[in-house]
Amino acid sequence: MAWVHHLDERIALDGSGRIGDDDATRQKRTASIILERFSNAPGQILADEVGMGKTFVALAAAASVSLHDQRPVVIMVPPAVLTKWRLDFSVFVNNCLPAPLRGKLNMAVADNGVEFLKLLDDPPERRKQVIFLAHGALGKNLSDGWVKLAIIQRAMKHRRNAEVQHRSMGRFAGKILMMDSYTRKDDSIWETLLDHHTSKWMRILNKKGFDEIDDDPVPEHVLQALEEPEIKPLLDELWEAIQAIPKRESSGLNQRLTRLRRELRKILPSIWTSCFLKARVQLPLLVLDEAHHLKNAGTRLASMFHSEEAEHDANAVSRGGQLAGVFERMLFLTATPFQLGHYELCNILDRFKGISWDSDNAPGGGQYHYQQKLEQLRELLDESQQQAYFLEKKWGQLGDENLMRNGHLYTHHDIDAWWEDIETGEGHSESIVIAQQAITLAADALSQANKALGQWVIRHTRPRELSSEHQQIPRRRKLAGQSVIDHDNNHNDCESQGLSIDEESALPFLLAARYVALTPGGRPVTSEGLASSYETFLETRSNLLEGNLGAELEDDVIEGVAKSDSETDWYLRQIKEAIKPGDRVLSELHPKIRPVVDRVVDLWLKGEKVLVFCHYIKTGRALRAHISHQIREKLYVQASKKLSCDKDVVAARLQNMGKRFKDGSGLHKRAEELINEQIKPFANLADCHDELVSVVHRFMRTPTFLVRYFEFAGSRVQPETLHKAFEYKEAYGLSFNELLANFFRFLSDRTDEERKSYLAALKSIQIGDISSNSDIEGEGEKDAVLATVRLVNGSVEQDARQHLMKTFNTPFYPEVLVASSVLSEGVDLHLNCRHIIHYDLSWNPSNLEQRTGRVDRIGAKAEKVGQPIYVYYPYLAGTQDEKMYRVVMDRDRWFNVVMGGSFKIDYETTEKLAERIPLPTQVLEKLKLDLTI
């Protein structure tokens, strides 16, 4: 029987206006093509750009399979995005399925292998159609006491003279399995269970009052596997260990039981793994998110797909193979396929060999046919890569002398005009001719690889302009270097000059340049830290001396760090003295901190939310403190003018004004009337009406709202003038009324679970000042920062992180988010933000794209207001920061040509790459892979 699953036409991906028609049509077409390709292919990779809705494409494919198959579909995702997937599943069911189908598509989450097998055991009337697994869930050690007991029971079965061990196990099983609470409730429970088949255990436990057992404790698949001949030697080993069980109570009982538990911990994992391998499981489809984590065959996640026929997996460091032969098809999701090397991409495709080739639904031609096609693809990618390397080498030999054309010297700023002159002119130098030939050869090789790769990979890129109703408006504006200051709406030049360093701040950077020149063979992390903030320089210098750089650097490229010696350390000491005279760090004088803080505050004054990414912990704290300080200053200056009072009494005056919104006051009642007018059109918000009104009231009492929206008449805020505050339009053209209406519409379109999560976050978010380590005035000192400016890094607990992400996605607090890499994947921050600042760069361009993808997603604010997403790269001119910027931008272009690329980032390499002539846009268009459908 061939693969028979097709896209269910009842699925409406544009349901309830969730996304636009164009995006919905693309998503539906993609899901349909994936299922069609499964007729002849074991798997597909969906590699759409970040924020284009891969999740909903995958859910449409999964639903189409599970609604027409008695077996569940499995979706494996990183633990950090499991909650998001669950919410997206709920949105999909409620918005994209017609009412009759909604009750037919249910999901469950399995935290480990036992739970997974239990879900597969469920009878049809209770079976879930979709099972979510977190990456690594099936690799967890066996911790389930019931399964351990079942294995022990099987090991004692048919053993001669086993009565003694049977009685002893019945007496001490609670202690051995660390389940003594059951013994205390019924000291005969273990002997009773051991006397009966596991199929009767649930009934026995319930009869004895253990009501929490609502499913058979031991999956049927485990029991079947325990009967396999291959398991017998392991059970024999377990039997030998069981013989050491104490026969009676004695003074050394606890020590003997501890030794037995230790022996069982050595043996049981092997039996459990073997049981999983022998489990007779056959499922139609696996969806695996963030599949680029499979790039190395030796990782635990990759090895789960090991099958004996897979040559690459045979050499894997970590094996297991729990998923080999389980699934009939696989769908992998990744946004960064071409940031991998082509061998790594082939390793991911190689995982498709782990499907069930023996099933009736297997692709035509079998595994041998797939292996042949994969080898052909490897050969084409090898040739393509060789030609790309040849082009990169020849292009790298071009120098500034090649930019001279007919008496005109082109610069890196106008490289496209230079290449157009080359293409239309004559009399080229030999190096230019060789480069042109290399481009042609690379383009031909890439074209052949593109055709082969297109059988397995689908990739869409978002339009470079906003939707048709906002024609000619670019989707993104990239503003680099000095552009963070000269914010001109007509400026869209990524090759602008860097931020300048004034004389007052020049000394530490001159010293750093000399330090870098003395350490050409290593990565100058202290100079990178100096370009970020003075606090980070001090931290990286300290960690360099202590050999503990991982504590401050969040990227994964920390090898090859420049070593310190007596000569180089002299420069580091001089830099420290220049930036920290006495005990105070001159943080506010940093030439990058100042303009970025000014830009953030300027955007905030215009009513814009801003997302700032930095991967240095100290820099994040410094930015939060400085931005908070500047916003407070601007806030108080504005308030003192509006209130006609001195700045030193502004805080108290604003606090008193906020109190006037207390329950029962005239302002409170009038505000509630105005809020109700915006809630009224959304009938399904009636259940949470009071909570919503409370949330808005809470925000209205903040100094931000009072100063931003009110034109004060003296010190009075009158109920009869409150409507003017609601109608006041900020710089980008939305009034508070419109913000509320948009927010209520958004909540109305969410599921009940999503609404509850947003309301819970808004009710818990702090709106008063926050006490935190300042990292400015001195170590350990506290500073009160505004709640509208928040910092999210690895030290922030997951629940708090989730609340901050949700509330940032609303019109309320926080309004500025300073974030580390923990928010760079699987996070939505796009609903109320269209300004992102890459304060600290990453050596990997895909990391920058992942960050930007947080605000550039379907339904982004940019689409709603018809204005671009602004992406800032504020690098410092003439420093390691500028070299890093130019290398990353150059690497971003070459990543589209040379798959993967190298990550050598020592001084000599970066110096060379920073000076390389950028690839012209026209050349990139010729070399671009096109994997759209």
Side-chain angles (χ1 to χ4, degrees), residues 136-150:
L138 300 186
K140 291 181 179 179
N141 289 330
L142 176 64
S143 60
D144 188 281
W146 305 116
V147 174
K148 289 180 180 179
L149 185 66

Side-chain angles (χ1 to χ4, degrees), residues 861-899:
K861 177 182 178 180
E863 297 174 350
K864 296 174 183 175
V865 301
Q867 297 193 31
I869 294 165
Y870 283 89
V871 187
Y872 299 88
Y873 302 88
Y875 68 87
L876 290 174
T879 69
Q880 185 67 17
D881 205 29
E882 178 171 4
K883 290 174 187 172
M884 187 174 186
Y885 167 76
R886 300 207 176 279
V887 169
V888 171
M889 292 300 108
D890 180 74
R891 179 173 281 143
D892 185 39
R893 292 181 171 222
W894 281 98
F895 263 4
N896 293 304
V897 181
V898 182
M899 292 175 64

Side-chain angles (χ1 to χ4, degrees), residues 526-568:
T526 51
S527 296
E528 293 174 24
L530 180 65
S532 181
S533 67
Y534 292 154
E535 291 85 356
T536 291
F537 167 79
L538 295 173
E539 185 76 3
T540 50
R541 174 181 178 269
S542 173
N543 286 331
L544 177 66
L545 297 175
E546 296 172 5
N548 187 33
L549 278 170
E552 181 63 21
L553 286 171
E554 286 198 6
D555 59 11
D556 59 357
V557 190
I558 59 175
E559 70 275 3
V561 174
K563 302 299 181 183
S564 178
D565 56 32
S566 57
E567 182 179 8
T568 58

Side-chain angles (χ1 to χ4, degrees), residues 242-261:
I242 290 172
Q243 311 224 26
I245 189 171
K247 307 299 185 294
R248 62 185 67 84
E249 299 275 356
S250 65
S251 58
L253 176 66
N254 289 333
Q255 291 85 348
R256 296 173 68 185
L257 290 177
T258 299
R259 285 196 296 271
L260 178 58
R261 280 197 297 269

Side-chain angles (χ1 to χ4, degrees), residues 695-904:
V695 162
V696 180
H697 270 306
R698 193 164 175 255
F699 177 68
M700 289 173 63
R701 290 196 294 268
T702 64
T704 297
F705 179 86
L706 293 170
V707 175
R708 184 178 285 167
Y709 289 101
F710 276 102
E711 289 293 339
F712 303 113
S715 61
R716 305 290 294 172
V717 177
Q718 303 291 345
E720 58 269 20
T721 61
L722 192 60
H723 70 279
K724 292 183 179 179
F726 275 61
E727 292 173 355
Y728 171 73
K729 290 195 173 185
E730 298 197 75
Y732 63 89
L734 289 181
S735 67
F736 189 62
N737 264 334
E738 290 169 316
L739 284 174
L740 289 180
N742 289 340
F743 175 59
F744 295 148
R745 184 178 299 108
F746 165 77
L747 281 185
S748 177
D749 292 338
R750 301 306 102 182
T751 64
D752 289 341
E753 185 179 2
E754 284 183 297
R755 275 196 292 274
K756 289 177 182 177
S757 68
Y758 270 94
L759 283 169
L762 285 167
K763 287 190 294 185
S764 69
I765 201 71
Q766 193 167 338
I767 60 172
D769 285 358
I770 299 171
S771 178
S772 65
N773 289 325
S774 69
D775 288 324
I776 295 177
E777 297 301 332
E779 196 66 40
E781 293 192 19
K782 296 291 183 179
D783 187 33
V785 295
L786 292 173
T788 195
V789 184
R790 299 300 296 266
L791 173 66
V792 178
N793 57 28
S795 65
V796 177
E797 292 183 2
Q798 184 65 29
D799 286 347
R801 195 184 304 170
Q802 290 291 330
H803 282 177
L804 285 170
M805 289 187 294
K806 281 186 170 63
T807 54
F808 186 75
N809 243 357
T810 74
F812 311 117
Y813 278 14
E815 297 172 305
V816 177
L817 203 58
V818 181
S820 74
S821 60
V822 297
L823 294 192
S824 64
E825 276 192 10
V827 174
D828 294 341
L829 300 170
H830 62 297
L831 296 178
N832 284 277
C833 178
R834 62 185 184 91
H835 291 267
I836 180 170
I837 299 176
H838 295 290
Y839 186 90
D840 289 327
L841 294 174
S842 167
W843 287 105
N844 188 340
S846 67
N847 292 345
L848 298 180
E849 180 57 31
Q850 285 280 3
R851 294 178 188 174
T852 304
R854 301 313 103 211
V855 299
D856 191 357
R857 311 181 76 76
I858 292 176
K861 177 182 178 180
E863 297 174 350
K864 296 174 183 175
V865 301
Q867 297 193 31
I869 294 165
Y870 283 89
V871 187
Y872 299 88
Y873 302 88
Y875 68 87
L876 290 174
T879 69
Q880 185 67 17
D881 205 29
E882 178 171 4
K883 290 174 187 172
M884 187 174 186
Y885 167 76
R886 300 207 176 279
V887 169
V888 171
M889 292 300 108
D890 180 74
R891 179 173 281 143
D892 185 39
R893 292 181 171 222
W894 281 98
F895 263 4
N896 293 304
V897 181
V898 182
M899 292 175 64
S902 60
F903 270 83
K904 226 182 148 183

Side-chain angles (χ1 to χ4, degrees), residues 421-670:
D421 193 354
I422 294 285
E423 294 281 72
T424 57
E426 298 178 349
H428 306 319
S429 65
E430 182 180 0
S431 56
I432 290 289
V433 172
I434 293 174
Q436 287 179 306
Q437 293 171 345
I439 291 169
T440 300
L441 291 172
D444 289 343
L446 276 167
S447 177
Q448 295 298 314
N450 191 102
K451 291 177 183 177
L453 196 58
Q455 301 174 68
W456 319 109
V457 181
I458 297 172
R459 180 170 174 81
H460 298 101
T461 56
R462 63 175 56 82
R464 295 309 177 233
E465 293 184 348
L466 292 174
S467 60
S468 55
E469 60 183 297
H470 306 298
Q471 289 182 355
Q472 306 304 314
I473 297 178
R475 188 174 183 89
R476 293 185 188 178
R477 282 263 171 92
K478 293 184 178 180
L479 304 176
Q482 192 74 16
S483 300
V484 76
I485 297 174
D486 305 327
H487 190 181
D488 185 342
N489 285 335
N490 295 318
H491 188 71
N492 189 28
D493 181 7
C494 230
E495 295 299 327
S496 63
Q497 299 297 319
L499 290 164
S500 60
I501 301 175
D502 56 30
E503 293 183 8
E504 191 177 11
S505 306
L507 179 58
F509 292 92
L510 292 172
L511 292 167
R514 180 58 184 161
Y515 166 80
V516 170
L518 291 172
T519 55
R523 176 181 176 180
V525 292
T526 51
S527 296
E528 293 174 24
L530 180 65
S532 181
S533 67
Y534 292 154
E535 291 85 356
T536 291
F537 167 79
L538 295 173
E539 185 76 3
T540 50
R541 174 181 178 269
S542 173
N543 286 331
L544 177 66
L545 297 175
E546 296 172 5
N548 187 33
L549 278 170
E552 181 63 21
L553 286 171
E554 286 198 6
D555 59 11
D556 59 357
V557 190
I558 59 175
E559 70 275 3
V561 174
K563 302 299 181 183
S564 178
D565 56 32
S566 57
E567 182 179 8
T568 58
D569 192 48
W570 181 88
Y571 286 93
L572 298 181
R573 289 198 305 272
Q574 297 305 309
I575 296 172
K576 178 182 176 182
E577 292 177 11
I579 65 177
K580 190 180 181 181
D583 292 330
R584 182 174 177 274
V585 181
L586 301 177
S587 181
E588 71 280 4
L589 299 180
H590 191 279
K592 190 168 168 182
I593 287 274
R594 285 181 293 176
V596 168
V597 170
D598 289 344
R599 171 55 52 216
V600 172
V601 174
D602 179 64
L603 291 168
W604 176 86
L605 286 170
K606 294 175 181 176
E608 296 281 7
K609 290 200 172 191
V610 188
L611 176 61
V612 184
F613 269 106
C614 57
H615 64 233
Y616 291 107
I617 297 169
K618 294 286 186 179
T619 297
R621 292 176 182 169
L623 280 169
R624 176 184 56 175
H626 285 299
I627 293 168
S628 172
H629 175 74
Q630 288 300 324
I631 287 179
R632 194 189 300 274
E633 286 294 305
K634 296 286 185 181
L635 199 65
Y636 286 2
V637 167
Q638 284 194 5
S640 65
K641 290 179 181 178
K642 290 184 175 183
L643 293 171
S644 301
C645 66
D646 293 335
K647 276 178 58 181
D648 56 357
V649 298
V650 162
R653 293 283 290 275
L654 290 173
Q655 186 177 14
N656 288 332
M657 292 173 65
K659 290 178 180 179
R660 294 188 59 208
F661 285 91
K662 65 182 179 181
D663 289 352
S665 69
L667 273 174
H668 186 278
K669 291 176 180 177
R670 179 56 180 149

